[in-house]
Amino acid sequence: MPGAVEERVDLARHSHWRIGGTADIVVRPRSVDELSRLYGWLAAQDLAHVVIGGSTNLLFSDEGLRAICVEIGSGLAGLRVEGNLIFCEPGAWAPHIARGAMQAGLTGIEHICGIPGTIGGLVYMNGGSQRHGIGEAVVRVVTIDPQGRIGSRTAEECGFRYRHSIFQETGEIVAGVELNLTPGSDPGTIRREMLKIMGDRRRKFPHRQPSCGSVFVSNPAFYAEYGPPGAVIERMGFKGLREGGAQVSPRHANFIVNTGGATARDVLALIQRIRQRVAEETGYVMEVEARFVSSSGRVISAGEAGVPVASNNAAGYDHGGSGRVMPGGFRKA
Ligand SMILES: Cc1cc2nc3c(=O)[nH]c(=O)nc-3n(C[C@H](O)[C@H](O)[C@H](O)COP(=O)(O)OP(=O)(O)OC[C@H]3O[C@@H](n4cnc5c(N)ncnc54)[C@H](O)[C@@H]3O)c2cc1C
């Protein structure tokens, strides 16, 4: 198998939530060529697999992972600045890219300076902060299709919209990203802006306990009517609510933290309880940003995963919520 292979990997050590069972096999490609050959090989063998980056947005199943886990990380994390363009390998860490841009006097991605994840995961999620998404700065994405063929997509072909990209549907791997930024800024000014963003995040968000960042997606229609998800969840009295080792953060109600020993089931139970109550009170079924990785390697929104009925019954999931999907990631019940 192309790539560096490790067996019996404790996923809780990798996941930012510090949750998950054991992965049978993790493969870490060391070049785009190796990644492409790996995908060709997996397709030829017809083996189930899942790609992960920094695991900062992932909830791994308590049952672990039987599919092959392709981890894109430090072995593929190079950066190159040329004029106002930055070429990133898929495992490049978002805060490092923001720092590289600052040092080159390039502005436009300050908002990613505090987001702990790889550029591959960030593009897949069209993540960002301050109401921005990384898609705004993308010129081109190098892709690898499920058969291992290397291709590319322009920004327009990536279908970026709020916390969404086409990669959530195509199964293509983000194998490289070209960013176009605005030149001519003073690195000191960019640095001050980034320090301000980091300071705000530190003040507002929980940072001592493991989490995956915001759990629920902010939706413009819902926001206009009721406010941000965190404020709504807080008003409904869920702040501080516990399920096993998982807790709605007492600091920010759109975060679920692991207070120690939380299971995926605990987190899914909290998510479902909050969603159901918010749907009853507002008519909106909140979409969940965090992704659940099942033991078979299926990646779905954690809101769609349901709650395992019994911890030893991976197939038995109780699905909550139903209704119409709203543009921007909500469903009107
Ligand atoms: C403390 C904290 C704060 C956060 N704050 C923010 C924030 O402000 N804004 C925000 O948007 N997010 C935030 N997040 C969530 C997370 O950091 C981002 O979604 C991040 O971009 C995910 O990157 P990752 O490499 O960790 O991806 P992972 O979590 O490993 O994977 C996420 C998804 O991307 C897919 N994926 C990963 N790499 C690739 C690739 N190369 N090609 C194709 N698909 C891929 C995976 O299959 C998975 O579906 C936060 C998380 C934490 C823990």
Side-chain angles (χ1 to χ4, degrees):
M1 187 189 299
V5 177
E6 192 184 347
E7 289 179 51
R8 302 215 40 86
V9 175
D10 177 8
L11 289 167
R13 265 187 26 235
H14 286 249
S15 131
H16 267 241
W17 242 324
R18 299 283 174 257
I19 292 173
T22 303
D24 290 344
I25 296 178
V26 174
V27 193
R28 300 185 180 95
R30 294 155 294 199
S31 68
V32 171
D33 175 59
E34 204 168 63
L35 184 57
S36 140
R37 283 190 291 117
L38 174 64
Y39 264 72
W41 187 85
L42 289 168
Q45 309 292 321
D46 197 20
L47 286 171
H49 55 274
V50 57
V51 65
I52 64 168
S55 304
T56 62
N57 208 30
L58 295 180
L59 181 63
F60 292 110
S61 161
D62 298 320
E63 279 79 34
L65 194 47
R66 307 289 77 84
I68 290 170
C69 181
V70 179
E71 186 183 72
I72 298 180
S74 55
L76 253 179
L79 275 189
R80 198 175 81 246
V81 181
E82 267 179 39
N84 50 319
L85 299 177
I86 303 187
F87 299 89
C88 317
E89 287 188 334
W93 202 241
H96 292 175
I97 304 172
R99 200 175 322 133
M102 180 261 287
Q103 283 160 352
L106 298 172
T107 180
I109 52 168
E110 291 84 336
H111 66 98
I112 69 167
C113 69
I115 303 180
T118 65
I119 188 74
L122 196 67
V123 165
Y124 174 94
M125 298 298 301
N126 190 18
S129 71
Q130 323 263 305
R131 311 236 135 240
H132 292 290
I134 188 66
E136 294 162 26
V138 169
V139 185
R140 199 175 67 96
V141 172
V142 178
T143 58
I144 293 178
D145 76 10
Q147 277 67 46
R149 290 175 297 229
I150 298 178
S152 81
R153 283 182 182 273
T154 61
E156 224 171 39
E157 291 166 343
C158 292
F160 290 120
R161 55 172 205 270
Y162 192 72
R163 301 296 175 258
H164 182 271
S165 76
I166 200 160
F167 304 107
Q168 295 174 14
E169 284 129 37
T170 61
E172 288 165 306
I173 300 300
V174 174
V177 180
E178 188 179 324
L179 301 170
N180 183 12
L181 303 178
T182 308
S185 297
D186 164 41
T189 310
I190 300 174
R191 186 167 174 276
R192 277 191 293 282
E193 173 62 18
M194 288 187 354
L195 287 173
K196 186 178 165 298
I197 292 171
M198 295 293 290
D200 284 350
R201 291 174 69 92
R202 243 188 127 63
R203 212 164 21 80
K204 286 191 212 149
F205 301 157
H207 49 268
R208 290 193 201 286
Q209 290 160 315
S211 79
C212 79
S214 301
V215 172
F216 296 99
V217 180
S218 186
N219 165 279
F222 182 82
Y223 190 101
E225 222 175 312
Y226 297 100
V232 176
I233 295 165
E234 185 174 346
R235 278 205 300 279
M236 289 182 182
F238 284 121
K239 211 174 191 182
L241 181 76
R242 282 175 183 269
E243 176 78 35
Q247 184 184 30
V248 177
S249 168
R251 204 176 169 113
H252 192 303
N254 198 14
F255 283 63
I256 292 178
V257 293
N258 180 354
T259 62
T263 62
R265 195 197 171 286
D266 295 339
V267 173
L268 294 174
L270 274 184
I271 289 175
Q272 182 152 315
R273 203 160 151 193
I274 292 169
R275 268 182 122 205
Q276 263 171 1
R277 175 75 192 285
V278 172
E280 281 159 21
E281 299 273 328
T282 68
Y284 286 95
V285 182
M286 292 192 292
E287 205 65 14
V288 178
E289 200 168 318
R291 309 268 136 177
F292 176 72
V293 184
S294 76
S295 58
S296 63
R298 220 171 131 236
V299 185
I300 50 173
S301 159
E304 305 303 321
V307 182
V309 174
S311 59
N312 61 352
N313 176 11
Y317 282 83
D318 169 21
H319 290 263
S322 62
R324 191 162 62 84
V325 176
M326 297 285 286
F330 271 49
R331 290 187 312 192
K332 188 89 170 144

